[in-house]
Amino acid sequence: MTKNLLRKTFIIIGWFFSALTFGSRLGSWAWPLDVLSHYHLQYIIGLTLALAILLLLKDIRPYLLVLLAALLVNLYLVAPFFLPVTTNAHAATPATPLRVMALNISTSNAGYGQVIELIRERHPDLVFLSEVRQDLVDRLQTDLAESYPYLHAVPSRMTLGIAFLSRRPFVDIQTVTMAGRGRRYLRAELEWEGTPVTVVGIHPLPPFNGQWAAERNNEIARMGELAQQTTHPFILLGDLNASPWSSAMQQLLARSDLRYAMQGYGVWPSWRLAGPLLGAPLDYILVSPQWQVVNYLEAGDIHSDHIPIQADLTLSASTGE
């Protein structure tokens, strides 16, 4: 490849990722633009590479400022997830962590051995599973009933299936149906360290078209309303089919006091279409201010296109006072 062709190639790459970056910030105007917010990690890689190559070629021109501006926008959006979290809350002493886990199983996953093995290995107290079929429910009841005697499942042959699996009894457990395509979520009440807590698991629609995107946004907005309505420590789990930079997630955090459990632990593609370079962070554990996150992990292979996520949470000393 000649120097001139190399220069033109990376100019095109730089302009392409710049256009995607700026377009993604207009997601509240049109759903296809909001989908562009999935890929800010990839935009950073593409823009950094383009700028580095052009600078090595000594192609110093004013248009590089556009590429640099786009890179700075992406870094501004991504960097806060890697910064240490400061909180005024103080954990109770001794504090027993509540380990919660979220797994998108994938309806194409016919071999559940990895799912069972992961749960046994990690010992979570509560697991939310999405894309749950009846054959998975049967395996959970057969292989994990002794360790996890409390199972509330609403299976489906499609992606609607959801379930809670718990070591501890539910004080209350509800399947809540929302308007639109039979969507539902699970709401559980548990007691932890003598304190009642609320845990919600949900799997909204993917934004495949305008109607689905609008319904997804409504479901996410409803989660914010639930978080604000409850006085208990609150946890939200699930594959929300929206990136942290989407308009729906930004509004969720702006209108509630929820925060990401992954804050301070970095942000990575939890959904991987074909490896991490073709993926996006779509799976979440969000918590109310009463919780402190003492550990967060995003790892494991369950033969799904999603990576398991988990968090260890402790209640602050002021909770319940």
Side-chain angles (χ1 to χ4, degrees):
M1 183 180 291
T2 66
K3 180 177 179 180
N4 189 48
L5 181 56
L6 186 65
R7 181 182 65 82
K8 289 181 178 179
T9 298
F10 281 95
I11 289 173
I12 292 173
I13 291 173
W15 279 109
F16 175 70
F17 284 114
S18 296
L20 294 179
T21 297
F22 296 126
S24 72
R25 307 320 303 145
L26 304 175
S28 58
W29 291 12
W31 71 268
L33 296 177
D34 194 60
V35 174
L36 296 180
S37 72
H38 283 21
Y39 306 109
H40 286 290
L41 292 167
Q42 289 87 338
Y43 301 160
I44 288 175
I45 295 172
L47 286 164
T48 300
L49 180 62
L51 281 166
I53 295 297
L54 291 171
L55 289 173
L56 286 173
L57 294 174
K58 299 181 180 179
D59 188 7
I60 312 298
R61 302 191 189 188
Y63 64 76
L64 288 184
L65 293 176
V66 177
L67 277 61
L68 179 60
L71 178 59
L72 291 176
V73 168
N74 287 294
L75 291 174
Y76 172 79
L77 295 170
V78 171
F81 289 95
F82 293 87
L83 300 178
V85 177
T86 57
T87 175
N88 295 324
H90 298 284
T93 304
T96 303
L98 170 66
R99 175 166 292 180
V100 296
M101 179 182 288
L103 306 177
N104 182 316
I105 303 301
S106 178
T107 53
S108 63
N109 189 343
Y112 299 125
Q114 291 80 10
V115 175
I116 303 298
E117 185 60 31
L118 182 78
I119 293 173
R120 285 175 171 165
E121 176 187 339
R122 302 279 181 83
H123 303 295
D125 298 288
L126 180 70
V127 185
F128 174 69
L129 306 102
S130 54
E131 301 196 21
V132 173
R133 302 187 315 195
Q134 183 60 50
D135 54 350
L136 174 60
V137 174
D138 295 339
R139 282 292 301 273
L140 295 174
Q141 292 174 328
T142 300
D143 296 351
L144 293 176
E146 183 175 349
S147 300
Y148 293 88
Y150 306 102
L151 171 65
H152 181 86
V154 188
S156 170
R157 289 179 296 176
M158 307 301 289
T159 61
L160 289 168
I162 49 179
F164 266 139
L165 184 67
S166 177
R167 289 182 178 276
R168 292 172 174 250
F170 300 110
V171 175
D172 183 46
I173 181 75
Q174 302 175 25
T175 302
V176 183
T177 301
M178 295 176 288
R181 303 181 186 275
R183 307 304 296 185
R184 53 231 179 162
Y185 64 87
L186 300 182
R187 176 171 181 165
E189 303 291 336
L190 302 167
E191 186 173 289
W192 187 256
E193 297 289 282
T195 300
V197 302
T198 301
V199 187
V200 173
I202 191 169
H203 182 211
L205 286 164
F208 286 161
N209 57 49
Q211 183 178 356
W212 284 27
E215 291 185 22
R216 178 206 65 177
N217 294 347
N218 289 336
E219 293 180 49
I220 292 174
R222 177 58 182 150
M223 296 302 99
E225 295 172 1
L226 284 177
Q228 293 306 100
Q229 289 168 1
T230 182
T231 57
H232 299 159
F234 186 91
I235 304 170
L236 175 62
L237 302 167
D239 166 16
L240 301 189
N241 275 311
S243 80
W245 312 288
S246 69
S247 58
M249 294 302 293
Q250 289 182 334
Q251 290 178 22
L252 171 66
L253 268 64
R255 297 173 181 177
S256 72
D257 55 10
L258 295 176
R259 72 183 191 281
Y260 296 112
M262 64 183 173
Q263 197 83 36
Y265 292 88
V267 58
W268 310 103
S270 62
W271 167 70
R272 299 181 179 183
L273 181 62
L277 289 179
L278 288 177
L282 304 180
D283 299 84
Y284 299 101
I285 300 170
L286 294 108
V287 297
S288 62
Q290 299 98 322
W291 294 105
Q292 281 191 301
V293 181
V294 296
N295 192 34
Y296 178 83
L297 180 64
E298 193 171 296
D301 180 11
I302 56 171
H303 286 196
S304 171
D305 55 350
H306 287 256
I307 303 300
I309 62 171
Q310 73 181 52
D312 292 343
L313 312 171
T314 57
L315 288 168
S316 65
S318 59
T319 301
E321 292 182 1

Short mmCIF file of all heavy atoms in Angstrom, two decimals, residues 53 142 211 233 291:
data_model
loop_
_atom_site.label_atom_id
_atom_site.label_comp_id
_atom_site.label_asym_id
_atom_site.label_seq_id
_atom_site.Cartn_x
_atom_site.Cartn_y
_atom_site.Cartn_z
N ILE A 53 -1.85 6.83 12.87
CA ILE A 53 -1.28 6.59 11.54
C ILE A 53 -1.08 7.91 10.79
O ILE A 53 -0.02 8.14 10.17
CB ILE A 53 -2.17 5.64 10.73
CG1 ILE A 53 -2.21 4.27 11.39
CG2 ILE A 53 -1.67 5.53 9.30
CD1 ILE A 53 -0.89 3.55 11.46
N THR A 142 -33.41 -29.86 38.69
CA THR A 142 -32.75 -31.15 38.89
C THR A 142 -31.38 -31.01 39.54
O THR A 142 -31.05 -31.72 40.49
CB THR A 142 -32.60 -31.89 37.54
OG1 THR A 142 -33.90 -32.09 36.98
CG2 THR A 142 -31.91 -33.23 37.72
N GLN A 211 -40.71 1.00 16.82
CA GLN A 211 -41.68 0.61 17.85
C GLN A 211 -41.02 -0.15 18.98
O GLN A 211 -41.29 0.10 20.15
CB GLN A 211 -42.80 -0.23 17.22
CG GLN A 211 -43.88 -0.62 18.23
CD GLN A 211 -45.01 -1.41 17.59
OE1 GLN A 211 -45.02 -1.62 16.38
NE2 GLN A 211 -45.95 -1.86 18.40
N PRO A 233 -33.70 -0.74 49.94
CA PRO A 233 -32.55 -0.86 49.04
C PRO A 233 -32.97 -1.60 47.77
O PRO A 233 -33.67 -2.61 47.84
CB PRO A 233 -31.54 -1.66 49.86
CG PRO A 233 -31.90 -1.36 51.29
CD PRO A 233 -33.39 -1.22 51.30
N TRP A 291 -26.57 0.75 48.77
CA TRP A 291 -25.63 -0.33 48.51
C TRP A 291 -24.24 0.21 48.23
O TRP A 291 -24.08 1.21 47.55
CB TRP A 291 -26.08 -1.15 47.31
CG TRP A 291 -27.35 -1.91 47.49
CD1 TRP A 291 -28.58 -1.61 46.97
CD2 TRP A 291 -27.53 -3.13 48.23
NE1 TRP A 291 -29.50 -2.54 47.33
CE2 TRP A 291 -28.89 -3.50 48.11
CE3 TRP A 291 -26.67 -3.93 48.98
CZ2 TRP A 291 -29.40 -4.64 48.71
CZ3 TRP A 291 -27.19 -5.07 49.58
CH2 TRP A 291 -28.53 -5.42 49.44
#
